């Protein structure tokens, strides 16, 4: 168990740069997920940390010792490979004992440790089987046991759940969380599945094109995505829109009195792994009162949207840019990208509309998901908007229904284009 | 399956099966019949005449020793080549390199032998520079000694072994090697605990092909080997061409065949043994139980990894490992 620190790690394959100066800190005992699309460099980071590949520049420090130049066999890092890489000619017990044998652990201790770790992953009775006789979920547990039994300083998981079918994946996800809690080992997982990352990790690092896009707690990353890319990868829909000053507030704004948020407040909000100040905590730093602005997006008009965007290091500039731009053109407005969380959108039959409604829309289709339902609507010929409702709130809605759409401003994030 | 299709397939296979039976089984049977059919009646008299002749036994030992050294040296030389082509050369360049590797295999054997004669001869392209550098005595050469035969055999074997071991090298999942390293095994340990077991089938094939071919050869030693290099095959060949085609010759041939097959079996068992963990943690009684005893277990029938693996070689391997263990334990 040790803290892992990567500093300015970079790597190129030929003319292709896959890592562009990665800085990352994983606290002792925590669970970090490297999330990103394929080709984002996440697996390369894992391979470099494991010693399977070497970085062009940068340093890796694990629990105070530099890993530079150490071959993989001397790093004491447990790796669970994608598709597990179990030795086909060895039994489950001998697969797990492999690392103990290389370490010349006495035979009696080997037996005891193998039995313990088999117990931890819940596979005690399968010790004599060959890998080919196991199901995918069982192979995955063996791979995990094999990596944990050497008592590694760091555990690396490469897409650990991607080869499993949906139901087994759910079970294994819970298992992984439990095993991580019990073993307490610092863990870095590579995944392209945001749900997997959100449910398991203390810290999510979103990579794209060899660069870190955002590094945050799962909740903050979901609620306060730093960019449209992050929002998109987190499964939050985003649209082009226009932000302008509301008709009624026009007189006041004409004087150009938009105030810029204090820099310290903004940076506080963007602090990585901050005390988890979620949603709306930074409303206070809004330039003008939110009510003064109207966000026109996807055929709807929203009021009360906070134009300051917390969650990214550069939010101060974004907030300022929007504020200044609006001051310059209060009537025509500024082109923005707006991310709207599906659960912030509510839909109800047109006759029962609340006063805060953003506009009227038509239901295009309804996807029933069990406890929840996704209602896809479009307003005034605009793009489709997804609304995530509890199933019971979707009762009575059907394709073609005329509905009133309201959107909780707290679930909306805006970026200047 | 459509029964008609089954019959059709059988008909298509018949010529091949027939030829194999005619040209391999029938002569073998005739050979054995000749060997046991002595003028004094059926029996092992002719074998006794072989075994009681110390000169024959000495040449048999020499021949088997030669075949063993050739096998080991050829594999040691070929494996790195196979590994490099299979794992460190781009897919596009591999066919070209493999084609270059098999050129000797496609060339007339007689041509190769005479080329070797020229190459190794005193004052030849190899010896002349060595001589001028003072590394070899005037007019010295290994030609007409068993060493020349050895070099020739190794040269002839390399092509085939590279191809056979290439198929093993290419198939090994790189993640298995990475897994071994991250678990604390250095490169040497990884070689013996992961690479050798994963290559066992091909290794056994390479041993079988090289050893049997070398033990039965006679042309190489006749041309290159000189009086010291006479192989068992030369004795048989001389007896046949000398017209002394009696039962003793047949007995000599049977002895050579059985002896070389026995060595191959021993080597195969050795490779299989090395491929298993030296001291498995799994309880010995279950680990070495006959395959049939284990097949009753649930889950074994649907082995996804095994049934999904292509090629007859893998099938052969999955069977041969437990059986060999049985024999040894």
């Amino acid at each position: 168990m040790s803290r892992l620190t990567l500093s300015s790690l970079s790597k190129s394959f030929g003319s292709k740069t896959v890592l562009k100066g990665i800085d990352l800190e994983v606290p002792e005992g925590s669970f970090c997920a490297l999330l990103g699309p394929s080709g984002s460099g996440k697996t390369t980071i894992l391979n470099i940390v494991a010693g399977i590949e070497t970085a062009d520049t940068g340093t890796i420090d694990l629990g105070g010792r530099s890993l530079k130049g150490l071959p993989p066999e001397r790093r004491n890092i447990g790796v669970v490979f994608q598709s597990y890489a179990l030795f086909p000619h060895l039994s489950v017990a001998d697969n797990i004992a492999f690392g103990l044998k290389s370490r010349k652990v006495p035979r009696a201790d080997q037996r005891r440790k193998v039995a313990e770790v088999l117990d931890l992953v819940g596979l005690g009775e399968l010790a004599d089987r060959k890998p080919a006789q196991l199901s995918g979920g069982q192979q995955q547990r063996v791979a995990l046991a094999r990596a944990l039994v050497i008592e590694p300083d760091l555990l690396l998981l490469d897409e650990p759940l991607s080869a499993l079918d949906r139901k087994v994946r759910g079970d294994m996800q819970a298992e992984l969380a439990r095993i991580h809690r019990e073993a307490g080992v610092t863990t870095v997982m590579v995944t392209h599945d945001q749900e997997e990352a959100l449910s398991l990790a203390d810290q999510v690092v979103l990579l794209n094109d060899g660069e870190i896009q955002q590094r945050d707690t799962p909740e903050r990353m979901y609620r306060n995505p730093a960019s449209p890319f992050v929002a998109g990868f987190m499964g939050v829909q985003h649209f082009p829109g226009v932000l302008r000053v509301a008709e009624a507030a026009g007189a006041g704004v004409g004087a150009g009195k938009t105030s810029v948020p204090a820099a310290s407040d903004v940076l506080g909000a963007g602090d990585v792994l901050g005390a988890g100040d979620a949603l709306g905590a930074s409303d206070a730093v809004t330039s003008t009162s939110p009510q003064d602005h109207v966000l026109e997006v996807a055929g709807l008009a929203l009021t009360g949207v906070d134009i300051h965007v917390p969650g990214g290091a550069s939010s101060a500039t974004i907030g300022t840019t929007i504020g200044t731009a609006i001051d310059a053109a209060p009537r025509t407005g500024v082109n923005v990208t707006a991310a709207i969380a599906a659960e912030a959108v509510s839909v109800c039959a047109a006759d029962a509309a609340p006063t805060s409604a953003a506009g009227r829309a038509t239901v295009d289709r309804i996807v029933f998901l069990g406890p929840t339902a996704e209602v896809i609507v479009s307003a005034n010929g605009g793009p489709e908007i997804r609304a995530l409702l509890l199933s019971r709130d979707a009762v009575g809605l059907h394709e073609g229904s005329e509905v009133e759409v309201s959107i909780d401003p707290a679930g909306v994030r805006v970026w200047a284009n | 399956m459509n029964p008609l299709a089954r019959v059709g397939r059988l008909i298509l296979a018949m010529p091949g099966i027939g030829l194999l039976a005619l040209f391999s089984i029938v002569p073998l049977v005739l050979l054995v019949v000749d060997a046991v059919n002595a003028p004094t009646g059926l029996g092992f008299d002719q074998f006794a005449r072989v075994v009681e002749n110390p000169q024959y036994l000495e040449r048999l030992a020499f021949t088997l020793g030669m075949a063993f050294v050739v096998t080991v040296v050829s594999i040691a030389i070929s494996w790195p080549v196979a590994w490099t082509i299979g794992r460190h050369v781009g897919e596009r360049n591999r066919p070209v390199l493999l084609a270059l590797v098999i050129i000797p295999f496609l060339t007339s054997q007689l041509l190769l032998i005479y080329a070797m004669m020229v190459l190794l001869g005193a004052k030849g392209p190899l010896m002349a520079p060595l001589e001028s550098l003072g590394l070899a005595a005037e007019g010295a050469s290994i030609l007409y000694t068993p060493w020349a035969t050895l070099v020739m055999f190794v040269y002839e074997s390399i092509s085939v072994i590279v191809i056979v071991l290439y198929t093993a090298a290419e198939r090994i999942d790189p993640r298995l090697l990475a897994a071994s390293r991250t678990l604390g095994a250095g490169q040497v340990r990884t070689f013996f605990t992961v690479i050798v077991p994963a290559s066992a089938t091909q290794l056994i094939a390479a041993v079988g092909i090289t050893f049997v071919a070398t033990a039965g050869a006679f042309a190489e030693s006749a041309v290159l080997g000189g009086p010291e290099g006479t192989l068992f095959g030369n004795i048989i060949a001389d007896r046949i061409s000398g017209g002394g085609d009696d039962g003793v010759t047949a007995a000599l041939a049977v002895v050579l065949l059985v002896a070389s097959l026995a060595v191959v079996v021993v080597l195969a068992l050795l490779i299989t043994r090395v491929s298993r963990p030296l001291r498995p943690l799994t309880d010995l009684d279950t680990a070495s139980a006959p395959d049939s005893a284990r097949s009753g277990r649930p889950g074994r029938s649907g082995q996804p990894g095994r049934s999904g693996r292509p090629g007859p070689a893998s099938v052969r391997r999955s069977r041969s490992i437990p059986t060999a263990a049985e024999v040894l334990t």
Side-chain angles (χ1 to χ4, degrees), chain B:
Chain B
M1 150 147 280
N2 182 349
L4 213 66
R6 195 177 295 178
V7 170
R9 208 177 45 200
L10 210 65
I11 289 172
L12 284 176
M14 278 321 281
I17 295 172
L19 281 177
L20 279 173
L22 189 66
F23 292 123
S24 60
I25 298 173
V26 173
L28 206 62
V29 170
L30 290 178
L31 190 70
V32 174
V33 167
D34 267 0
V36 296
N37 189 12
T40 53
L42 279 184
F44 293 97
D45 280 5
Q46 295 175 142
F47 286 100
R49 282 179 59 193
V50 174
V51 177
E52 281 159 11
N53 186 334
Q55 209 197 335
Y56 286 155
L57 289 187
E58 195 268 331
R59 281 298 103 184
L60 180 64
F62 176 79
T63 303
L64 296 180
M66 169 75 83
F68 179 77
V69 173
V70 167
T71 304
V72 171
V73 170
S74 304
I75 288 175
I77 291 176
S78 308
W79 209 334
V81 179
W83 190 263
T84 306
I85 298 177
R87 306 190 69 88
H88 299 288
V89 169
E91 302 242 356
R92 263 193 325 162
N93 296 328
R94 284 183 201 173
V96 180
L97 289 177
L98 291 174
L100 291 175
V101 165
I102 59 170
I103 284 178
F105 188 70
L106 301 176
T107 313
S108 151
Q109 193 196 22
L110 215 56
L111 207 72
L112 291 178
I113 295 175
Y114 281 102
M116 187 62 78
M117 239 176 103
V118 174
L119 187 70
L120 295 180
K123 315 276 184 199
L126 193 67
M127 295 317 291
L130 285 177
E131 223 173 272
S132 58
L133 286 170
L135 292 171
E138 173 101 24
S141 167
I142 59 167
L143 189 62
Y144 309 126
T145 73
W147 295 106
T149 317
L150 180 78
V151 170
M152 185 70 214
F153 280 142
V154 168
Y155 171 51
E156 283 180 305
S157 310
I158 285 175
S159 301
V160 179
I161 299 181
V162 167
I163 302 289
V164 169
L165 291 181
Y166 160 81
T167 63
E170 182 208 37
R171 298 192 335 172
I172 296 175
D173 183 350
R175 279 180 293 224
L176 283 185
L177 306 179
S180 170
R181 299 290 301 278
T182 61
L183 288 167
Q187 305 204 40
V188 174
R189 200 182 163 86
T190 300
F191 176 77
F192 284 107
T193 53
V194 180
I195 296 175
V196 170
S199 314
T201 312
Q202 289 83 352
L203 212 48
I204 290 171
V207 167
I209 294 168
T210 313
F211 194 93
V212 173
T214 309
F218 60 94
E220 292 86 345
S221 48
V223 179
L224 305 168
E228 297 284 294
T230 305
L231 296 179
F232 210 69
N234 296 110
I235 298 175
I236 298 172
D238 288 351
R239 286 184 72 103
I240 293 172
S241 56
D245 187 13
D246 55 3
V248 177
T249 312
L252 283 168
V254 171
V255 165
L256 179 63
L257 186 69
V258 170
S260 46
L261 285 181
V263 174
V264 169
V265 168
V266 168
L267 290 177
L269 287 174
L270 209 68
I271 293 168
T272 320
R273 191 72 198 96
V274 171
S275 304
R276 294 176 57 81
L278 275 179
R279 300 173 67 202
L281 260 200
T282 316
D283 289 334
L284 277 174
D285 50 340
T286 49
S288 60
D291 217 15
S292 57
R294 276 202 268 175
S295 59
R297 279 196 198 170
R300 180 150 175 112
S301 53
Q303 304 160 16
R306 287 197 183 168
S307 52
R309 246 191 270 158
S314 59
V315 176
R316 209 182 328 137
R317 181 180 165 213
S318 60
R319 275 193 208 133
S320 72
I321 289 178
T323 356
E326 253 175 77
V327 175
L328 287 167
T329 42

Side-chain angles (χ1 to χ4, degrees), chain A residues 278-293:
Chain A
L279 205 60
S282 45
D283 281 359
V285 296
T286 312
S287 54
T288 45
S289 162
Q291 270 65 39
D292 295 345
H293 297 117

Side-chain angles (χ1 to χ4, degrees), chain A residues 206-291:
Chain A
L206 184 63
L207 287 150
N208 190 35
D209 229 2
E211 285 176 306
I212 293 181
Q213 304 295 312
Q214 189 171 353
R215 185 171 59 208
D216 231 321
T217 63
E219 190 184 359
R220 286 178 55 87
M221 187 169 289
Y222 181 76
R223 295 202 187 282
N224 300 325
S227 66
F229 174 82
V230 177
F233 210 83
M234 288 290 118
V236 181
Q237 56 195 334
H238 55 85
F239 309 93
V242 175
L243 191 66
R244 70 174 100 241
V245 173
E247 297 290 333
V253 175
K257 287 291 179 252
T258 303
S259 64
V260 171
S264 60
D265 288 346
V266 173
L267 290 178
D271 198 3
V272 176
L273 292 180
D277 60 332
L279 205 60
S282 45
D283 281 359
V285 296
T286 312
S287 54
T288 45
S289 162
Q291 270 65 39

Side-chain angles (χ1 to χ4, degrees), chain A residues 52 72-73 77 79 81-83 85-87 89-91 94 97-99 101-103 107 111 114 128-129 132 146, chain B residues 175-176 178-186 189 193-194 197 275 277 279-283 286 298 300 303-304 317:
Chain A
I52 300 162
E73 63 266 26
I77 293 176
V79 187
F81 291 87
Q82 197 175 5
S83 76
L86 298 178
F87 303 115
H89 60 293
L90 299 181
S91 69
D94 285 307
F98 192 94
K101 288 184 182 183
S102 335
R103 283 169 171 71
R107 219 171 145 69
R111 278 183 192 283
V114 168
D128 299 346
R129 297 271 182 95
R146 185 177 68 174
Chain B
R175 279 180 293 224
L176 283 185
S180 170
R181 299 290 301 278
T182 61
L183 288 167
R189 200 182 163 86
T193 53
V194 180
S275 304
R279 300 173 67 202
L281 260 200
T282 316
D283 289 334
T286 49
R300 180 150 175 112
Q303 304 160 16
R317 181 180 165 213

Side-chain angles (χ1 to χ4, degrees), chain A residues 45-57:
Chain A
I45 295 179
L46 185 114
N47 286 341
I48 288 173
V49 173
I52 300 162
E53 282 171 31
T54 46
D56 297 337
T57 62

